[in-house]
Amino acid sequence: MGLKSKVFPNSYRDSVLLMKMAGMVRKIEGVENAEVIIATEANKGILEFNGLLTEEIRRATPNDLVVSVIAGDETVIEKAIAAVENMIFNGLEDDKGGKVTYSAKSIAGALAMEPEADLAILSVPGPLVKKDAMKLLDSGVNLLIFSDNVPIEDELELKRKADEKGLMVMGPDCGTAIVRGASLAFANKVRQGKIGMVCASGTGLQGVAVLIHNLGQGISHALGTGSNDVKDAIGGISMKRGLKWLEQDGSTELIVVVSKPPQKATMENLKEEFKKCRKPVIVNFLGSSQPVKRDGNVYYTDTLEETALKALELAGETVDDSVAVPEDILADIRRERELHRHKGGYMRALYTGGTLGTEAAIICRDILSGLTTNLTVPGVEKMADYNVSTKNCILDLGADEFTLGKPHPMIEPEMKNQRLLKEAADPETAVILLDFVLGYGVNADPAGNTLYEIDKAREIAESQGRHITFVASVTGTDEDPQNREEQIRVLKDHGVLVLPSNAQAVRAAVEIVKECR
């Protein structure tokens, strides 16, 4: 087995594009493993962990792009490296089939090209973010910082400066936002409407926004803050700025806040800010049970589904019939319950969206015995070994322990598919619960790229005289590039029970697996 690398000096590219390049290279026949990445020290560690680090890459700088390939044939390696070189210098196709091109070579050049711009997306190595971000803030530009690994002291300094200027920093590690109808980074295509959002959770933002869209309303703006924002070290600076913006925005009539629980001092401070707002505020601190469901103009909810429904209610929408589970799906659930009655087995939930997994754990924690997860959810036990599922288990496959040196499963489902087959081979597995997240920046066909594994899993179970039920939700809209309706259709064609929301999918899986006991 051969290993070869190549360094492209001063050839920085966006991390999303690099993940796409790496995914394309890994699909070349004969390639055992490959990575296309920026040569930061952290990334060199990832390459070393995966057996892809060479002396050539050790000498590379954080401004350099590197490719490393393992294959059994020297010709295959050369082909893979040539493919990367072609993508770097000639571009690769974007989601619409056009070429991704690069124009401005500096912040000053970009501002000269777009002097009216008031929002920039910044995706550079974390330690280098501060320098470029300061230039943009000095020019009066709001920021969405996609980069992670930004020192928290840099984040605090940037957010304080932005706040002083009346600007907002979304992020660092902000992967989702919708501004003036434009979907940014990993976001869905939703109609514009009167519900504003400010969120410290990307998939939480997506989960609520698509439910609102699918039930007939729309989003004015959905602003991300990055997960560190609600820690006491930052104090919710961006969340408070986003709240003020949406309060002043004429197109926004009510505001939704979604976040994993803020730290104590920040939570209390944010609660006071919510009460001061002149518009209704629906708050979901996911996983944190609030003793009071309403405090003046502030409404507290427990799940993403409840959050969306409360927003629609306050927006004057009637949604009771829209959220009812269709009768044909209810019949399918009853049939699957009978197939599992008293036969033993457990639920294995494989999530690509961490916040969706958290919602699932909240719903299941008081119902299913022996529930474990790799997420941090009050009242749910942490897994002893993330590689081994026991009894009822909820996995966030996008967590660091699974994505080290690998693309996120929303982008490349290979790792999720491998885990699916592993769970199917476990005699204790009765129900497999899946999520499929659509939108920009993610896999072009999430459902289609898992159908083979779903069919194979059934074959594995049947060869052991067992039956597996697949239950799923599709987080997206019919306006997304992947088209939600089409994704649901292909899943149903392969015998998957697809529910209208993640919460409903979880409840269906629970109803089925309870009959196993």
Side-chain angles (χ1 to χ4, degrees):
M1 196 65 64
L3 168 65
K4 189 171 182 179
S5 64
K6 185 168 182 176
V7 175
F8 297 90
N10 300 311
S11 298
Y12 181 84
R13 295 294 186 269
D14 177 89
S15 59
V16 175
L17 289 174
L18 294 181
M19 285 188 283
K20 287 184 177 181
M21 288 183 189
M24 293 170 72
V25 172
R26 292 188 195 104
K27 291 179 181 178
I28 294 174
E29 186 174 355
V31 171
E32 294 295 325
N33 200 4
E35 189 57 84
V36 184
I37 206 164
I38 297 300
T40 64
E41 291 306 309
N43 286 343
K44 290 177 185 177
I46 292 172
L47 293 173
E48 185 171 23
F49 180 84
N50 287 284
L52 289 162
L53 185 64
T54 65
E55 287 303 316
E56 180 185 30
I57 294 177
R58 286 186 191 277
R59 297 190 295 270
T61 77
N63 293 319
D64 301 338
L65 186 157
V66 300
V67 54
S68 185
V69 181
I70 295 175
D73 189 305
E74 180 72 20
T75 303
V76 172
I77 294 176
E78 293 297 337
K79 178 181 178 181
I81 292 175
V84 172
E85 187 165 9
N86 180 61
M87 287 186 279
I88 291 170
F89 295 110
N90 297 320
L92 68 160
E93 289 189 351
D94 61 21
D95 292 336
K96 296 180 180 179
K99 289 290 184 180
V100 178
T101 58
Y102 297 85
S103 299
K105 303 299 182 184
S106 67
I107 296 295
L111 290 171
M113 290 174 61
E114 298 288 346
E116 302 300 316
D118 61 358
L119 173 62
I121 300 176
L122 193 57
S123 181
V124 298
L128 306 181
V129 161
K130 180 181 172 181
K131 180 180 178 182
D132 287 340
M134 284 293 188
K135 291 178 183 177
L136 289 161
L137 292 174
D138 284 335
S139 300
V141 178
N142 300 284
L143 296 176
L144 187 156
I145 302 177
F146 188 85
S147 312
D148 57 9
N149 296 312
V150 175
I152 199 156
E153 58 270 21
D154 289 358
E155 178 175 348
L156 180 60
E157 187 176 350
L158 290 170
K159 289 188 171 181
R160 282 177 171 170
K161 180 168 187 171
D163 202 46
E164 290 169 1
K165 291 176 166 288
L167 301 171
M168 182 172 180
V169 172
M170 293 184 277
D173 201 14
C174 177
T176 304
I178 302 169
V179 180
R180 304 180 191 125
S183 305
L184 307 178
F186 299 111
N188 302 91
K189 182 65 176 176
V190 300
R191 72 173 60 83
Q192 290 186 267
K194 54 189 174 184
I195 300 172
M197 302 180 69
V198 56
C199 304
S201 164
T203 49
L205 185 157
Q206 288 181 273
V208 174
V210 301
L211 281 172
I212 288 171
H213 171 96
N214 292 333
L215 292 171
Q217 239 317 318
I219 302 298
S220 56
H221 310 281
L223 310 173
T225 69
S227 58
N228 280 339
D229 192 70
V230 293
K231 295 179 179 178
D232 288 345
I234 304 297
I237 293 173
S238 290
M239 184 163 283
K240 287 184 281 188
R241 171 58 58 187
L243 187 73
K244 290 176 183 176
W245 274 12
L246 294 174
E247 183 182 20
Q248 295 165 2
D249 177 54
S251 63
T252 301
E253 294 185 11
L254 61 147
I255 302 168
V256 168
V257 174
V258 180
S259 170
K260 291 177 182 176
Q263 291 184 333
K264 186 176 180 180
T266 301
M267 180 182 285
E268 295 308 312
N269 186 263
L270 286 171
K271 285 182 174 181
E272 291 303 312
E273 293 296 321
F274 299 152
K275 285 195 289 187
K276 294 176 188 176
C277 186
R278 298 189 304 271
K279 297 177 179 178
V281 183
I282 302 102
V283 181
N284 184 344
F285 290 146
L286 200 64
S288 173
S289 181
Q290 299 300 313
V292 177
K293 284 292 186 180
R294 181 176 179 181
D295 187 5
N297 66 312
V298 185
Y299 301 79
Y300 290 96
T301 57
D302 293 325
T303 66
L304 303 179
E305 181 184 59
E306 183 188 357
T307 304
L309 294 178
K310 177 56 71 173
L312 289 161
E313 175 192 328
L314 296 180
E317 299 286 343
T318 302
V319 296
D320 290 347
D321 293 337
S322 302
V323 295
V325 178
E327 184 56 42
D328 62 325
I329 297 180
L330 289 173
D332 289 339
I333 293 170
R334 288 192 292 267
R335 184 193 69 246
E336 295 296 322
R337 288 175 62 185
E338 289 302 314
L339 288 170
H340 289 288
R341 191 178 293 277
H342 306 311
K343 292 185 179 178
Y346 297 94
M347 179 191 78
R348 303 291 162 76
L350 306 179
Y351 276 92
T352 60
T355 303
L356 300 175
T358 300
E359 181 182 41
I362 291 166
I363 293 170
C364 293
R365 64 184 170 189
D366 296 326
I367 306 172
L368 295 182
S369 61
L371 181 66
T372 60
T373 182
N374 64 328
L375 293 154
T376 300
V377 180
V380 182
E381 186 178 345
K382 276 289 188 90
M383 298 173 67
D385 182 348
Y386 298 148
N387 293 309
V388 180
S389 302
T390 58
K391 295 188 176 180
N392 296 300
C393 182
I394 296 173
L395 279 174
D396 170 19
L397 295 174
D400 291 346
E401 56 265 23
F402 291 113
T403 57
L404 181 63
K406 299 177 182 178
H408 194 282
M410 284 186 190
I411 299 170
E412 171 51 64
E414 179 184 1
M415 179 257 295
K416 178 187 77 172
N417 292 342
Q418 291 174 353
R419 186 62 181 244
L420 188 157
L421 292 175
K422 181 178 180 179
E423 300 296 349
D426 183 346
E428 292 197 332
T429 302
V431 177
I432 294 180
L433 175 61
L434 302 168
D435 72 328
F436 295 91
V437 180
L438 314 184
Y440 298 100
V442 300
N443 190 272
D445 186 12
N449 283 318
T450 304
L451 297 178
Y452 170 82
E453 284 73 19
I454 290 172
D455 292 342
K456 184 67 176 177
R458 281 206 183 87
E459 291 178 13
I460 292 170
E462 288 170 3
S463 70
Q464 299 174 0
R466 299 163 39 237
H467 175 70
I468 288 182
T469 299
F470 283 92
V471 182
S473 64
V474 177
T475 299
T477 74
D478 291 346
E479 296 182 28
D480 281 328
Q482 303 88 346
N483 188 286
R484 180 173 181 264
E485 184 178 356
E486 177 61 19
Q487 293 283 297
I488 291 173
R489 185 191 66 77
V490 297
L491 288 169
K492 286 185 174 180
D493 286 348
H494 285 255
V496 179
L497 275 62
V498 185
L499 280 293
S501 72
N502 177 57
Q504 291 186 8
V506 175
R507 295 188 197 105
V510 168
E511 282 300 308
I512 295 166
V513 82
K514 282 196 304 183
E515 295 301 316
C516 294
R517 305 272 60 83

